[in-house]
Amino acid sequence: TLLSLADTAFLHVTANMRQATFDTMMRYRIMVSKPDPDIIIVDINEASLAAMANDYGRWPWPRQVLGEFLEQIEKQKPKAVVFDILFSDADVYNPDSDAYFNAAIAATNNTFFPILRLDPDSDKLSQIKPAMIPGVSALSDEAEQDATVAVVLPPFAAAIDGGRLGTHNIYPDADGVVRNYQIYSDDYGWKLPSISARLARAEGWPETDAQQVLLNWRGPPFSYHYVSFSDVFADLSSKSKKRPANEFTNKIVIVGSTASSLFDSKPTPLSKIHPGVEIMATAMDNMKHGDFLRFPEARVPFLLLTLAVVWLTATAFYRNAGRAKIDLLFGFSQFILIGISYATINFTDTYVNLTGPVSIGLLYFTIARIYSSATSKALEQNMVRITLERSGELQATLLLIRLDVNKNIVPD
C-alpha cells in the first residue's frame, strides 16, 4: 500500500513500464487505421541526392530548385504544400536563387513553412517577441508582452507575410522514443502552434484543446505514399510527362527527407529509425481525422484499482483459499486488466493503461507466494525437528486390534 501511494505521488516507477507496454501493444495492434491516401510525401532521399548532384551539387541545392518545383506542382492545384525543411539563413552567395523561391512562395496561398523553437535558455538573447510571429495568439490576458522567444524563422518575406508558419520540433520522451506530439507550446502565455496545428486551422479540421497528445500511428515506417523528389522534379520539368497530370490534385504534399545523411529520423514505438517527415505526416493525419490517442491521467482511480488488487490477493492468502484457486483467480484478473488496455488501444481513441495495477499486483503476488511457500516449508522442517529431538525420550506403541462379533451366536 505504501509503495502504491508513493509511486502515485512522486516515485512514478510504473511510468516507464507503461511506456514499454504501450510500445508493445502499438506494435501488435489488430485494428490499425489506414494512412490517409490524400497525404503524399515528396522524398528527398539518397537516390534524389545522387540523381541531382551533377546539376545542382551537394545538398542543400540552390533554392531556385525548390522554387521551380513549387511553381510546377501548384499547376496541379494541391490542397497544401508543406515544407518539412528548415530554412534558417539566406543564401548570401546566391541571392537571385532566394529571390526566385520567394517569388514562387508569394504566388501561392497554400504553402506552409516550419519554425524551429530553440532552447528557452536562449530566449533572453532573442529580439523576437511572440506577437511578431504570424499565427501566434495570446492564451490569456496575462501573456507577457515584453517576453522574447528564441526561434528560427524562414528568411523569406513571402513566407512571413503568408503567415502559414508553425513549429516542427519533435520532443522524444525521457527514453528517447517519440510517442507524443506537441500541438502547441505555451511560451510566456503565448500559444505557438505546431505546423500541423497551423495546417488544421487553415483546412478547418477539428482542433483539440490538449497541448500534447499520443500519436495514433498508422503503421511502420514508409506506410504513407512516397514519391522521389528527383523523379517528380524531372517529370514536372519535362515536355513529355509520364506521371499523372493530377497526381497531386487536392493532396497534402509534404516535402521532406528520408536520406540518412540528413539525419532526420527518430526512434518510435514501431521502429528505431522512423523518418521525421512521416512523424509529421502522422500528426497531420491524426489532426485531420481527430483520432489522436487520449490518455486519461486518472491517478486516483488507478490507485484504488491497484489497492483493490493487492488487498484481494492478501485476503486470499490470509484465508488460505488454496494455492491452485489463488493462482487461477489472480492470473484471470491480470489477464482481464491487460485485455482492457489492449482493447482500448484497438477499438477506441482513449488508451486506458492499466500497467500500474498489473505491475504492483504482480509484485505483491510474487512476494506473497514466496513468503507462503517459505513459511510452509519452515513449518514442516520445524515439526520434523521437534519429533526427532523427542524420539529418545518418548516411546509409544500402537496396537491395532480388530474384533469381529457374530451377532448370531448367543453366549451361555
Side-chain angles (χ1 to χ4, degrees):
T1 299
L2 291 176
L3 175 62
S4 301
L5 292 171
D7 185 61
T8 301
F10 56 87
L11 290 179
H12 307 304
V13 174
T14 58
N16 293 331
M17 296 180 182
R18 288 197 296 268
Q19 291 176 346
T21 304
F22 172 79
D23 294 350
T24 302
M25 291 187 176
M26 186 61 66
R27 282 194 295 270
Y28 296 104
R29 278 194 303 175
I30 300 173
M31 308 297 292
V32 182
S33 299
K34 299 291 185 182
D36 193 310
D38 290 337
I39 297 177
I40 299 179
I41 297 174
V42 179
D43 185 11
I44 302 174
N45 51 17
E46 294 289 356
S48 294
L49 296 178
M52 301 186 70
N54 292 333
D55 295 329
Y56 302 104
R58 296 171 61 87
W59 179 265
W61 304 318
R63 286 162 181 169
Q64 182 173 344
V65 173
L66 298 175
E68 293 175 0
F69 168 82
L70 183 58
E71 285 179 335
Q72 295 299 323
I73 204 171
E74 281 291 332
K75 294 178 180 179
Q76 296 190 22
K77 300 186 182 304
K79 184 170 291 186
V81 179
V82 183
F83 285 92
D84 187 29
I85 302 170
L86 181 66
F87 301 97
S88 57
D89 299 289
D91 189 348
V92 296
Y93 297 105
N94 198 351
D96 292 340
S97 180
D98 274 12
Y100 191 101
F101 190 26
N102 186 74
I105 298 170
T108 69
N109 60 1
N110 63 346
T111 50
F112 294 80
F113 290 86
I115 300 172
L116 178 63
R117 180 66 170 101
L118 300 176
D119 191 328
D121 291 340
S122 303
D123 286 349
K124 294 181 179 179
L125 303 176
S126 175
Q127 297 180 351
I128 300 175
K129 296 181 179 181
M132 298 167 58
I133 304 174
V136 174
S137 58
L139 287 168
S140 66
D141 296 336
E142 299 179 357
E144 299 181 30
Q145 301 296 324
D146 296 328
T148 57
V149 291
V151 295
V152 176
L153 298 172
F156 308 111
I160 302 296
D161 294 340
R164 295 176 293 275
L165 307 174
T167 60
H168 74 153
N169 297 62
I170 295 175
Y171 298 101
D173 291 336
D175 59 355
V177 178
V178 176
R179 300 180 184 90
N180 301 282
Y181 184 78
Q182 187 166 287
I183 303 294
Y184 67 90
S185 61
D186 182 353
D187 296 302
Y188 311 104
W190 296 91
K191 183 178 182 179
L192 185 59
S194 65
I195 194 168
S196 299
R198 186 64 188 85
L199 175 63
R201 187 189 309 170
E203 295 297 323
W205 298 341
E207 296 189 46
T208 176
D209 294 331
Q211 184 175 355
Q212 182 173 273
V213 292
L214 269 176
L215 286 170
N216 191 352
W217 302 97
R218 303 311 198 208
F222 300 98
S223 293
Y224 284 86
H225 180 41
Y226 279 79
V227 293
S228 176
F229 182 94
S230 59
D231 293 343
V232 173
F233 183 76
D235 191 77
L236 291 174
S237 306
S238 174
K239 293 183 179 180
S240 56
K241 294 179 171 50
K242 298 180 181 179
R243 304 180 73 91
N246 61 347
E247 183 176 8
F248 303 104
T249 303
N250 292 324
K251 305 295 185 182
I252 297 170
V253 180
I254 306 176
V255 183
S257 174
T258 64
S260 57
S261 58
L262 299 185
F263 307 106
D264 185 18
S265 62
K266 297 285 190 300
T268 69
L270 301 177
S271 175
K272 293 182 179 180
I273 302 176
H274 210 120
V277 65
E278 190 159 346
I279 297 175
M280 177 187 286
T282 303
M284 293 178 177
D285 196 347
N286 287 181
M287 295 207 73
K288 179 179 179 181
H289 297 280
D291 61 353
F292 282 114
L293 290 177
R294 282 77 174 173
F295 52 104
E297 292 287 350
R299 292 187 178 183
V300 174
F302 287 170
L303 173 62
L304 295 177
L305 180 59
T306 302
L307 295 178
V309 171
V310 169
W311 280 100
L312 287 174
T313 306
T315 302
F317 275 103
Y318 180 74
R319 293 185 175 180
N320 196 19
R323 180 169 184 172
K325 186 180 293 186
I326 294 175
D327 291 350
L328 178 62
L329 292 176
F330 182 81
F332 187 67
S333 66
Q334 302 302 288
F335 179 80
I336 290 177
L337 294 178
I338 295 174
I340 291 173
S341 293
Y342 189 64
T344 59
I345 206 171
N346 276 280
F347 302 106
T348 72
D349 295 336
T350 301
Y351 175 50
V352 180
N353 195 327
L354 300 178
T355 306
V358 170
S359 301
I360 295 181
L362 183 60
L363 174 63
Y364 176 76
F365 176 81
T366 303
I367 295 173
R369 172 58 68 207
I370 294 174
Y371 177 79
S372 176
S373 300
T375 51
S376 298
K377 186 175 182 180
L379 182 61
E380 293 174 1
Q381 292 175 346
N382 188 50
M383 293 177 65
V384 171
R385 179 180 58 80
I386 292 174
T387 303
L388 292 175
E389 288 177 353
R390 294 182 177 180
S391 61
E393 303 173 359
L394 180 64
Q395 295 181 356
T397 302
L398 180 62
L399 178 62
L400 300 178
I401 302 174
R402 179 177 178 179
L403 299 176
D404 292 327
V405 180
N406 191 339
K407 295 182 180 180
N408 297 323
I409 300 175
V410 179
D412 295 336

